[in-house]
């Protein structure tokens, strides 16, 4: 690993930098694959189970192996009906080995194969499959939250200068490379080891790794399975934000709902936090694209009939399924390293801006969660303990108190669940609850969910200055283009507070704190 500027890796990790890799390539954020469907709304059945859940009956389509379930309330269900995403929930129910139900969170909207907000668990021992559409193009797109000991008053009007400094230093934009360069054996190690590899370079602390989902690494990653193009695209994009809905936000803790949990996380009303949302960039996009090409004829080979070719899949226990999992884990590990380096650069900016070390500012990682991933996890289904392949596509892990995979610090309160909203309203911190294990394979929502396609959002923004509109609300927004802000304007999204309210009332995750944006950096 080397850096473009004068601070080389010998300064950080005690090793001589290797030759620069030649990876450039595109963004890796699959904005073309997350637009809300332009088709007519869903016309099929939706039966209300309770105040926060609706059913698509199994007999809706011949071939559904389980029913569909969508977490929503009366306020959100009309928006959900206006989109074709429920049809995708029904289609996922065709997958072999699927357990309990094809699930969707309240931020559901149209996606590639699976809806965004989709959760699906399959049992490999019952012919269960792995489907790249259930992970998404931006593999391990996810969110991390840093807290600080800075009260908002100490920052004051200097939020303009701080946001500008972050915008200058944090690489953002389509295909944008960064200052950390990986090639050869070092990139191979990064893909195998994820964020823990950065600890050997002096770019991650034990606390950072402890407070990252899965410790920042999925085992059994196989870099040798990646295409040359995927490897090239990964060379200079680790530590870069990307574009689309990726962001870095300076936020203020606006309200506390669970004082005990907030105190454990170091959150208090009025304190400054930073939220980072990014994924595996061009490398992850290429891994998905390559997999879809390789798997397109595999379902027929195994006698699997699908209602949508975008649901291409392979049995988990097959060679093809294992190859995709090995490659997907590389991209997941890359994404955790990416967010770690984004956080490290953010700490450097804060230290320079305030003239204090990041340690003295107590810029500690609260938690990092993935929301485009497939993982092997144990669950009890119909009284039997099973090891399942859990697809979360625009859904966040939400393990409850006492779960062995929750860091010791949080084990008595539950896993932190970080839910970003749009850049004009709010984001949320929750903790996982027992209901998630019973109802949603340990999952919660991952964000607000789009209401408008990107094209519609751009159309509605014609003649407007979104940055000026946000400035009137006290929010400083910096972006590489007018189009970037137009696509991501607040009106393009559902109200995240309504979405969070559903998962709270459904018992999947419990509200802890609401965070208000004051400085936004986008690609």
């Amino acid at each position: 690993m080397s850096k473009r500027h004068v601070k080389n890796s010998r300064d950080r990790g005690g090793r001589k930098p290797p030759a620069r890799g030649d990876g450039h390539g595109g963004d890796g954020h699959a904005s073309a694959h997350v637009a809300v469907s332009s088709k007519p709304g869903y016309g099929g059945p939706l039966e209300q189970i309770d105040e926060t859940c609706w059913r698509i009956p199994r007999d809706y389509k011949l071939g559904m192996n389980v029913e569909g379930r969508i977490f929503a309330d009366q306020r959100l269900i009309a928006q959900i009906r206006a989109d074709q995403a429920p049809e995708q929930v029904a289609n996922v129910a065709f997958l072999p080995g699927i357990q309990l139900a094809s699930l969707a969170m309240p931020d559901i909207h149209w996606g590639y194969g699976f809806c965004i907000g989709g959760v699906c668990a399959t049992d490999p021992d019952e012919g269960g499959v792995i489907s790249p559409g259930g992970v998404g193009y931006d593999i391990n797109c996810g969110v991390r939250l840093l807290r600080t000991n800075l009260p908002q008053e100490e920052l004051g009007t200097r939020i303009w200068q701080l946001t500008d400094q972050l915008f200058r230093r944090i690489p953002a934009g389509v295909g944008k490379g960064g200052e950390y360069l990986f090639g050869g054996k070092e990139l191979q190690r990064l893909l195998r080891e994820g964020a823990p590899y950065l600890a050997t370079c002096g770019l991650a602390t034990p606390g950072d790794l402890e407070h990252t989902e899965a410790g920042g690494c999925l085992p059994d990653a196989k870099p040798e399975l990646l295409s040359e193009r995927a490897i090239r695209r990964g060379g200079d994009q680790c530590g870069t934000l990307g574009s689309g809905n990726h962001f870095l936000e300076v936020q203020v803790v606006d309200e506390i709902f669970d004082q005990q949990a907030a105190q454990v996380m170091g959150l208090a009303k009025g304190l400054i936090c930073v939220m980072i949302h990014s994924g595996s960039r061009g490398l992850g996009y290429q891994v998905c694209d390559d997999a879809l090409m390789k798997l397109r004829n595999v379902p027929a080979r195994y006698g699997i009939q699908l209602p949508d070719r975008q649901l291409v899949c392979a049995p988990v226990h097959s060679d093809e399924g294992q190859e995709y999992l090995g490659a997907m884990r590389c991209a997941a590990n890359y994404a955790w390293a990416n967010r770690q380096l984004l956080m490290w650069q953010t700490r450097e900016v804060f230290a320079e801006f305030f003239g204090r070390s990041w340690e003295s500012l107590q810029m500690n990682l609260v938690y990092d969660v993935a929301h485009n991933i497939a993982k092997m996890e144990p669950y009890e289904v119909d009284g039997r303990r099973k090891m399942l392949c859990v697809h979360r596509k625009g859904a966040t892990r939400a393990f409850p108190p006492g779960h062995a995979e929750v860091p010791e610090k949080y084990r008595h309160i539950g896993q932190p669940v970080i839910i970003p909203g749009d850049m004009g309203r709010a984001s949320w911190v929750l903790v996982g609850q027992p209901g998630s294990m019973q109802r949603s394979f340990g999952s919660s929502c991952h964000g607000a969910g789009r209401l408008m396609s990107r094209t519609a959002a751009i159309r509605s923004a014609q003649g407007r200055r979104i940055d000026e509109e946000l400035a009137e609300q006290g929010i400083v927004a910096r972006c590489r283009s007018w189009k970037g802000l137009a696509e991501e304007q607040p009106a393009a999204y559902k109200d995240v507070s309504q979405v969070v309210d559903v998962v709270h009332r459904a018992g999947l995750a419990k509200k802890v704190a609401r965070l208000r944006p004051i400085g936004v950096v986008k690609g």
Side-chain angles (χ1 to χ4, degrees):
M1 181 271 295
S2 63
K3 298 182 75 174
R4 293 183 196 272
H5 60 63
V6 294
K7 295 180 181 177
N8 61 41
S9 66
R10 187 181 293 281
D11 297 331
R12 298 304 189 88
R15 65 180 66 200
K16 183 179 179 180
R20 173 185 166 177
D22 62 351
H24 291 284
D27 170 38
H29 176 69
S31 58
H33 301 281
V34 297
V36 176
S37 172
S38 59
K39 300 176 183 178
Y42 173 70
L46 277 175
E47 303 169 354
Q48 189 165 8
I49 298 173
D50 57 37
E51 66 173 0
T52 60
C53 193
W54 302 70
R55 174 190 292 116
I56 300 174
R58 184 177 171 181
D59 61 6
Y60 169 51
K61 289 184 174 184
L62 183 64
M64 289 176 63
N65 294 310
V66 292
E67 66 185 25
R69 294 180 193 170
I70 300 173
F71 291 95
D73 61 10
Q74 291 284 358
R75 294 177 298 179
L76 292 174
I77 201 65
Q79 297 171 351
I80 292 169
R81 283 186 184 275
D83 185 38
Q84 275 284 302
E87 198 72 34
Q88 294 185 310
V89 176
N91 289 342
V92 169
F94 281 69
L95 292 180
I98 187 170
Q99 303 291 297
L100 184 64
S102 171
L103 303 170
M105 295 295 133
D107 50 341
I108 174 178
H109 56 280
W110 182 264
Y112 184 93
F114 281 56
C115 67
I116 311 295
V119 177
C120 162
T122 65
D123 185 349
D125 293 335
E126 296 177 8
V129 297
I130 176 71
S131 175
V135 174
Y137 269 83
D138 193 0
I139 296 167
N140 189 3
C141 187
V143 189
R144 67 173 47 198
L145 178 68
L146 293 82
R147 55 90 61 197
T148 77
N149 61 8
L150 291 164
Q152 185 182 8
E153 294 76 17
E154 185 169 343
L155 180 57
T157 58
R158 291 196 296 162
I159 183 60
W160 291 86
Q161 291 91 337
L162 177 60
T163 305
D164 284 340
Q165 197 160 325
L166 288 164
F167 186 59
R168 285 192 297 269
R169 284 284 302 278
I170 305 298
V174 176
K176 182 74 171 178
E179 59 188 33
Y180 295 96
L181 308 174
F182 295 88
K185 292 181 179 179
E186 294 219 338
L187 182 55
Q188 298 285 310
R189 282 196 64 185
L190 184 78
L191 296 171
R192 281 198 181 90
E193 300 174 30
Y197 170 64
L198 296 177
T200 70
C201 305
L203 295 165
T205 70
D208 295 341
L209 303 181
E210 184 182 359
H211 295 150
T212 300
E213 179 178 336
C217 176
L218 292 185
D220 301 318
K222 301 187 185 309
E224 64 273 15
L225 297 175
L226 270 58
S227 68
E228 288 186 15
R229 178 158 171 74
I231 292 291
R232 285 199 307 271
R233 297 182 76 172
D236 69 344
Q237 289 190 349
C238 202
T240 67
L241 201 57
S243 64
N245 64 355
H246 294 162
F247 64 79
L248 183 149
E249 280 187 8
V250 181
Q251 303 173 336
V252 177
V253 180
D254 192 47
E255 195 70 46
I256 299 294
F257 295 85
D258 185 323
Q259 192 64 49
Q260 180 199 10
Q263 187 173 0
V264 172
M265 296 183 204
L267 302 177
K269 190 171 182 178
L271 287 185
I272 296 294
C273 295
V274 180
M275 188 174 287
I276 297 170
H277 177 211
S278 191
S280 50
R281 306 290 281 112
L283 181 142
Y285 187 102
Q286 195 63 46
V287 167
C288 181
D289 216 33
D290 292 343
L292 292 171
M293 290 292 291
K294 290 178 182 176
L295 295 177
R296 60 184 174 179
N297 297 319
V298 168
R301 195 179 306 158
Y302 288 94
I304 298 171
Q305 296 186 345
L306 299 170
D308 182 354
R309 62 186 177 86
Q310 292 184 355
L311 292 174
V312 292
C313 58
V316 172
H317 286 329
S318 69
D319 290 342
E320 297 92 341
Q322 287 299 304
E323 286 181 7
Y324 170 69
L325 282 167
M328 183 274 297
R329 289 163 180 155
C330 289
N333 293 343
Y334 186 93
W336 274 311
N338 182 36
R339 291 196 291 275
Q340 176 65 33
L341 290 177
L342 285 165
M343 180 180 73
W344 202 265
Q345 293 171 93
T346 302
R347 284 169 167 170
E348 291 178 335
V349 171
F350 268 70
E352 293 169 7
F353 188 84
F354 289 100
R356 286 179 268 166
S357 69
W358 70 261
E359 292 91 344
S360 69
L361 294 170
Q362 296 179 11
M363 290 193 74
N364 300 320
L365 177 61
V366 175
Y367 205 62
D368 177 297
V369 288
H371 55 233
N372 279 7
I373 204 162
K375 295 165 71 180
M376 301 303 299
E377 297 172 353
Y379 290 92
E380 187 171 300
V381 180
D382 296 329
R384 290 175 52 206
R385 190 76 165 169
K386 299 182 176 185
M387 184 63 72
L388 304 180
C389 181
V390 181
H391 302 68
R392 295 189 180 95
K393 202 262 190 78
T396 300
R397 198 183 75 172
F399 285 171
H403 196 287
E405 288 196 43
V406 177
E408 185 64 35
K409 179 179 179 181
Y410 301 135
R411 199 157 297 165
H412 63 294
I413 62 170
Q415 176 214 302
V417 177
I418 304 166
I419 310 298
D422 64 75
M423 57 186 170
R425 279 179 277 202
S427 294
W428 285 81
V429 180
L430 301 88
V431 285
Q433 293 296 285
S436 73
M437 304 301 286
Q438 300 155 10
R439 307 186 70 184
S440 63
F441 297 106
S443 305
S444 177
C445 63
H446 89 303
R450 291 193 76 92
L451 273 177
M452 291 187 204
S453 71
R454 296 180 185 280
T455 301
I458 291 170
R459 192 183 309 122
S460 77
Q462 293 298 324
R464 295 164 54 199
R465 285 286 301 274
I466 304 300
D467 58 338
E468 293 179 357
E469 293 175 13
L470 291 168
E472 290 176 2
Q473 301 176 51
I475 302 166
V476 183
R478 295 288 181 263
C479 187
R480 300 292 169 190
S481 67
W482 173 88
K483 179 183 175 184
L485 285 181
E487 288 180 344
E488 294 299 306
Q489 62 176 293
Y493 286 88
K494 300 174 187 177
D495 183 342
V496 70
S497 295
Q498 293 183 7
V499 171
V500 163
D501 190 55
V502 169
V503 298
H504 175 85
R505 287 188 287 134
L508 309 183
K510 183 171 67 169
K511 296 177 186 178
V512 175
R514 185 176 64 228
L515 311 177
R516 175 171 49 87
I518 57 173
V520 181
V521 172
K522 298 189 75 71

